[in-house]
Amino acid sequence: MTRSLRRDLVAVGAAALLVTVAVLVGRHIQDTRHTLFVHWPPVLAEWDPHVGPGTPAALAVAAATVAYGPAVAARLPWRALLPAAWAAALAWILSLALIDGWHRGIAGRLTTRNEYLRVIDRFHDIPATLRDFTHHIVSGTPAPWPAHIAGHPPAATLTFVLLDRIGLRGGGWAGMWCITVGATGCVAVLIAVRALAGESLARRAAPFVVLAPAAVWQGTSADGYFAAVAAWSVALLALAVTRGSWCWAAASGLLFGLTCYLSYGLTLFALIGAAVLVLGGQGPRARPTLLLPLFAGLAVLPALFTLAGFDWWHAYRLLVVRYDQGVGGIRPYGYWVWANLACTVLITGPATAAGLGRTAAELVRPRGTAGNPIRLRGVSDPGPAAASARLAVLVLTALLALLIADLSGMSKAETERIWLPFALWLLPACALLPRPRAWLAAQAVLALLLNHLLFTGW
């Protein structure tokens, strides 16, 4: 056994130990104090071993990706790889969701009492509702918003209102919107990795970004949709700084503005954006005017929502009050501040735990000691040391943003879905792993076990 493999196994063992301790300690706290408000800590789920109509498809997608994913990702032309990755991710997310059946797994997810579709009728006059939005955030006010509506800026709910207005009504359409759009997040990640760290690493990362355990929660969770929007804002910024494109910079700013109005916590994506600006080489320094369209695009949606009467900062302060009024004010910070990280292990998988260890090592590795690069015909990549170091900076910046979210205490529990946007950017760390099929198999087995043994909710 090589030294690097031993380090990988140690990282996986530590991650498994973290999850085990979180389960055991969580069970004890919930059984004795009843303060966690989850039935299968550390995730919000019920113990429910089952199979369903999606089981055969999920097994087939997993087997095909493990067996052929690395080879296909290495050989397929880049322009064909991106739609193939999206299609595979879509099939993986959809098949996992259908393990719970069409209604319980997809159509009914966004219609429960705390979800967005329950308030569609209250948005019959959108401008008036936006002006009045903050008056219903805190519990005790007249007709307070359900938890998820109160917990997000109004662009989240408006998405489903607009779907309803164009005739795509009901939980089925809303669920398929989240699955279809959410699956594009993997494409955005691959585009950004290629632009910043080279095509070789992007191709190696592709099967892992597709076959992520996070797909268990991407299925019909609005957070999967949020994750895709945030991912595209980063991908377009990477294209802007590496190509010097004003159009990509403006589009990136526009999507980042939307990201901030989908979820308050995703303002932390500014850290990942800053890393992209640094990694983009001479782009922003040689063309400082790229920042002008970036910030112009960023200002569009905040300006529109502010003019419509919605005050983001005031709403966030009220949300802090609402959070403390509910179970968020009861759940113990001392448990969730580390148990949330156990949830992250579950959504990113053992391969990511090993990959994160390797990315950290890349930043302290002396120059010129990295292994031989993987050469692909017709591909121009940076040197292996530079490419790996750039990937490490991108991934570890996403990890830093996740840790800041954790320490804030505004995400106690349910982070297996809330942190999907950050999790997508941890998965490329798997590109540094040898023997990809073995690691992909571990990822697939974890996802299949989670979805067949638990019924996940939010």
Side-chain angles (χ1 to χ4, degrees):
M1 182 183 297
T2 64
R3 180 181 299 179
S4 59
L5 180 56
R6 282 198 297 271
R7 286 199 297 263
D8 293 341
L9 295 179
V10 168
V12 172
L17 179 61
L18 176 63
V19 173
T20 301
V21 174
V23 171
L24 296 177
V25 173
R27 286 302 327 161
H28 174 73
I29 295 174
Q30 181 62 15
D31 291 342
T32 57
R33 304 177 191 175
H34 311 290
T35 56
L36 298 187
F37 296 94
V38 294
H39 294 160
W40 205 88
V43 298
L44 183 66
E46 304 282 349
W47 179 256
D48 181 23
H50 63 286
V51 295
T55 297
L59 291 171
V61 172
T65 306
V66 171
Y68 303 109
V72 170
R75 297 170 185 169
L76 205 62
W78 179 255
R79 290 187 177 181
L81 176 60
L82 295 180
W86 171 76
L90 178 64
W92 180 233
I93 297 169
L94 183 60
S95 62
L96 287 174
L98 287 174
I99 291 171
D100 297 324
W102 169 254
H103 179 77
R104 194 168 78 146
I106 296 178
R109 289 282 190 168
L110 295 172
T111 62
T112 57
R113 65 186 182 90
N114 286 319
E115 284 290 357
Y116 303 97
L117 268 61
R118 296 299 291 267
V119 299
I120 295 294
D121 293 342
R122 292 176 62 175
F123 279 75
H124 60 277
D125 185 339
I126 292 176
T129 305
L130 291 178
R131 289 192 298 270
D132 196 44
F133 192 89
T134 57
H135 297 154
H136 305 283
I137 293 177
V138 176
S139 294
T141 55
W145 296 118
H148 287 185
I149 292 82
H152 294 82
T157 309
L158 276 178
T159 299
F160 301 101
V161 171
L162 295 176
L163 285 176
D164 183 82
R165 293 284 175 88
I166 64 174
L168 303 181
R169 299 183 178 90
W173 284 113
M176 289 305 300
W177 165 268
C178 291
I179 290 175
T180 304
V181 176
T184 69
C186 76
V187 178
V189 171
L190 296 180
I191 289 173
V193 172
R194 181 179 188 252
L196 300 171
E199 190 167 318
S200 294
L201 287 175
R203 287 176 177 273
R204 287 183 61 86
F208 292 97
V209 179
V210 166
L211 203 66
V216 173
W217 289 273
Q218 281 179 288
T220 69
S221 166
D223 294 272
Y225 154 54
F226 305 160
V229 175
W232 279 107
S233 73
V234 174
L236 296 183
L237 181 59
L239 292 177
V241 298
T242 54
R243 300 182 181 181
S245 169
W246 280 40
C247 291
W248 291 135
S252 171
L254 187 66
L255 285 182
F256 183 63
L258 175 59
T259 298
C260 294
Y261 278 76
L262 290 172
S263 175
Y264 296 102
L266 295 187
T267 53
L268 287 170
F269 260 71
L271 287 175
I272 304 176
V276 171
L277 290 174
V278 172
L279 294 171
Q282 297 299 315
R285 291 192 292 273
R287 306 176 184 87
T289 52
L290 276 179
L291 298 179
L292 180 62
L294 175 66
F295 288 117
L298 174 59
V300 170
L301 284 173
L304 290 176
F305 275 100
T306 301
L307 289 173
F310 174 74
D311 186 333
W312 192 98
W313 288 103
H314 181 53
Y316 177 73
R317 289 192 293 269
L318 293 175
L319 170 61
V320 174
V321 175
R322 169 70 178 264
Y323 190 74
D324 289 336
Q325 286 178 323
V327 297
I330 301 173
R331 285 170 168 160
Y333 179 85
Y335 171 77
W336 288 110
V337 74
W338 58 271
N340 283 339
L341 302 181
C343 293
T344 305
V345 170
L346 292 175
I347 63 177
T348 58
T352 305
L356 286 174
R358 288 186 176 243
T359 57
E362 287 297 330
L363 292 185
V364 299
R365 185 194 301 274
R367 286 188 177 182
T369 62
N372 293 326
I374 295 174
R375 298 297 183 186
L376 299 172
R377 184 177 299 174
V379 174
S380 176
D381 278 347
S388 298
R390 288 182 176 191
L391 180 66
V393 170
L394 180 65
V395 169
L396 294 178
T397 302
L399 179 61
L400 174 63
L402 185 149
L403 292 175
I404 293 173
D406 186 35
L407 293 173
S408 74
M410 283 297 290
S411 297
K412 289 180 283 188
E414 302 179 56
T415 54
E416 60 270 17
R417 63 168 179 84
I418 296 171
W419 288 354
L420 285 174
F422 303 111
L424 286 185
W425 295 96
L426 303 183
L427 297 169
C430 301
L432 301 178
L433 295 172
R435 304 178 184 87
R437 287 186 178 85
W439 290 109
L440 281 169
Q443 297 286 87
V445 168
L446 175 61
L448 290 168
L449 287 175
L450 286 170
N451 217 141
H452 282 92
L453 295 178
L454 302 175
F455 175 66
T456 56
W458 44 82

